[in-house]
Amino acid sequence: MGVVCSSLHPQSRYNDRNSEDEYIDEIEEETFRDLDEFLIKKYYLAFKQYDQTKKTQLYILDKKIGYRDAKSLAKLLSTNETLTWIVMNNNGIDAKSAKALAKVLSDNKNILHFDIRNNNIGDVGAKAFAEALSKNSTLTEIDMKNNDFGDEGAKALAKVIRKNETLTYINADNNNIGAEGGKALVEALRDNKALTRVFTANNIIGDEGGKALAEALRHNETLTDIDISGNDIGENGGVALAEALRFNNTLTHMNINCNGIGDEGGRALAETLRKNSTLTHLFTANNMIYNEGARALTEALRHNKTLQLIDISGNGIDDECTEALVEALTHNKSLSLVNISNNRIGDRGGKALAEALLKSDNLTHVSMVNNRISDEGEKALAQSLVHSKAKSFITRESQR
């Protein structure tokens, strides 16, 4: 349970101070002696110990960090010379407190990883961190997931990303970034030459954001891992992304789950997979890809030589399409994990997959949770898999 501000900063003591800076100095010299053991370790004495032992990581999780706490922390962190990894998840940090903490990234040149996810910094806080990043030339990773910022915060970050030369990872999942902010962010990737991993899942960038990302991927030469799941990019965005992958030679992981790319998007991806030689992990679950698009994807797997994992769960695939997938798997020599859960596969399709596992030297994991396989079908599958090299063949949720 988090610590409320009133217990950390007695109002009577604060009112006696002429300025916040004097109050912070007083904390360093006196007030910590009166706090409980946790709070002593949380702030001043902890940093004394960090300096002495050369510890490099600091975690403050699930505590209430108000503005005065943030000011105190910022002053201590800004001058610390040993910390390189700071995590402040789920602390109720609001916009005002975020502005105070952003000073850490402006002043401290030793920090490499800063994680402030699951707070409430909003656009104001995101802008403050963007401004701090414009002055920082050492940070390599920042996680701002689930912080309730939208287009304005995203645009401020985009302006910095365009020129930043040290950040390799940014996470902006689960915010309120719409088409305008999403477009600004992904367009910045066209010029950025450092980022390798970008996560913007569960926002609302739409098809315009998807098409802007596609254009950026045609030119970007550093990105290896991107997650834009749950962004409603639709068929147009899906097709644009698939076509962009024909020109991109660096991306290895792509997650476009839950985007409604449909059969058109599925067919476009299939055409790309026939020739793409860099993608190793593709997640395209819950995309309204039915038999037509799914058959195109499975046929493409006959020709693809690099994909190791494919997730096509939740897409309405039936027995006939599963048999086409099995036929493709007999020719594919790279896939080791296939997820086709939450489809319409019955005993016939399940049996075909089991036989494919028996013949395959590379396929080791298949997940078929929530399909239409009967109890008798599962028994038959279990018997046929006794001699299979597969490490797992999952047909029920309880088997996970």
Side-chain angles (χ1 to χ4, degrees):
M1 188 173 178
V3 180
V4 296
C5 294
S6 58
S7 63
L8 186 58
H9 300 286
Q11 190 65 33
S12 59
R13 292 191 179 190
Y14 184 71
N15 288 339
D16 289 338
R17 305 298 164 205
N18 295 322
S19 71
E20 288 185 349
D21 286 338
E22 288 180 8
Y23 174 70
I24 293 169
D25 288 338
E26 186 72 10
I27 283 182
E28 290 184 15
E29 295 172 6
E30 295 180 2
T31 309
F32 278 97
R33 300 173 190 171
D34 300 328
L35 300 177
D36 62 36
E37 184 179 358
F38 165 75
L39 293 177
I40 291 173
K41 290 180 179 178
K42 179 177 174 181
Y43 292 133
Y44 178 62
L45 293 182
F47 287 98
K48 288 291 186 183
Q49 293 167 1
Y50 269 67
D51 288 337
Q52 292 169 3
T53 61
K54 305 299 182 185
K55 290 183 179 177
T56 60
Q57 298 187 4
L58 173 69
Y59 289 80
I60 301 177
L61 312 175
D62 304 313
K63 308 298 176 186
K64 180 68 175 177
I65 296 180
Y67 175 63
R68 297 171 191 168
D69 298 334
K71 289 281 286 185
S72 301
L73 275 169
K75 182 165 184 177
L76 293 167
L77 288 170
S78 293
T79 57
N80 182 277
E81 297 181 355
T82 60
L83 287 171
T84 60
W85 188 285
I86 296 176
V87 179
M88 295 184 178
N89 296 348
N90 197 30
N91 286 300
I93 298 169
D94 61 14
K96 188 177 180 181
S97 300
K99 289 180 71 174
L101 289 169
K103 178 177 170 60
V104 177
L105 295 185
S106 297
D107 298 345
N108 191 310
K109 306 306 180 186
N110 299 305
I111 298 169
L112 303 177
H113 177 99
F114 195 87
D115 185 341
I116 195 170
R117 68 182 123 160
N118 301 331
N119 285 289
N120 190 33
I121 69 172
D123 281 325
V124 172
K127 286 181 179 181
F129 277 107
E131 183 179 354
L133 285 173
S134 69
K135 303 172 184 177
N136 184 293
S137 59
T138 54
L139 193 74
T140 60
E141 299 180 348
I142 187 165
D143 193 329
M144 303 173 70
K145 177 179 179 179
N146 194 25
N147 262 294
D148 198 31
F149 65 87
D151 288 344
E152 293 304 312
K155 287 189 290 184
L157 287 168
K159 187 176 180 180
V160 175
I161 288 171
R162 193 178 291 274
K163 298 179 180 180
N164 185 279
E165 297 179 352
T166 59
L167 272 179
T168 61
Y169 165 76
I170 184 168
N171 189 337
D173 289 352
N174 298 9
N175 283 291
N176 295 311
I177 303 171
E180 187 179 358
K183 190 175 179 181
L185 268 179
V186 298
E187 284 179 348
L189 298 178
R190 177 170 179 160
D191 299 321
N192 182 278
K193 293 178 172 56
L195 280 166
T196 59
R197 295 182 297 149
V198 174
F199 299 164
T200 59
N202 300 319
N203 284 285
I204 41 177
I205 70 171
D207 61 349
E208 288 302 312
K211 288 187 283 187
L213 174 60
E215 183 61 27
L217 288 177
R218 287 173 177 260
H219 302 276
N220 184 280
E221 297 179 350
T222 58
L223 276 174
T224 60
D225 188 351
I226 192 159
D227 183 351
I228 58 163
S229 56
N231 265 286
D232 195 26
I233 67 171
E235 286 190 353
N236 291 335
V239 170
L241 274 176
E243 292 176 350
L245 289 179
R246 300 178 195 176
F247 301 91
N248 183 282
N249 296 314
T250 59
L251 205 65
T252 60
H253 292 62
M254 185 170 75
N255 188 334
I256 54 171
N257 289 347
C258 307
N259 268 299
I261 70 170
D263 282 336
E264 284 296 320
R267 283 196 296 267
L269 273 176
E271 188 62 31
T272 295
L273 288 178
R274 285 174 175 266
K275 300 177 181 179
N276 182 280
S277 60
T278 56
L279 205 63
T280 61
H281 292 66
L282 175 62
F283 300 86
T284 181
N286 301 311
N287 262 310
M288 295 189 289
I289 300 173
Y290 300 108
N291 276 350
E292 187 179 348
R295 282 182 70 89
L297 276 172
T298 57
E299 176 63 24
L301 295 179
R302 291 172 62 105
H303 307 280
N304 184 277
K305 297 177 181 177
T306 57
L307 207 61
Q308 299 169 18
L309 177 154
I310 188 167
D311 183 351
I312 47 176
S313 58
N315 278 300
I317 297 169
D318 62 12
D319 283 340
E320 184 179 349
C321 188
T322 303
E323 288 175 336
L325 171 62
V326 167
E327 176 62 23
L329 291 177
T330 61
H331 297 276
N332 184 285
K333 303 302 179 184
S334 62
L335 270 174
S336 60
L337 192 152
V338 175
N339 186 354
I340 50 174
S341 300
N342 301 307
N343 282 293
R344 295 182 292 142
I345 303 168
D347 289 352
R348 190 175 112 203
K351 182 181 178 181
L353 270 170
E355 291 174 354
L357 278 171
L358 285 169
K359 298 175 183 178
S360 175
D361 291 325
N362 48 283
L363 199 60
T364 59
H365 297 79
V366 174
S367 178
M368 293 183 61
V369 174
N370 294 334
N371 276 286
R372 300 179 178 179
I373 300 172
S374 67
D375 290 342
E376 285 192 10
E378 287 191 11
K379 289 179 182 177
L381 286 172
Q383 291 174 358
S384 65
L385 288 169
V386 172
H387 302 292
S388 170
K389 295 179 181 179
K391 295 178 181 177
S392 67
F393 189 89
I394 304 169
T395 57
R396 290 180 183 269
E397 197 71 42
S398 60
Q399 290 177 283
R400 286 186 163 182

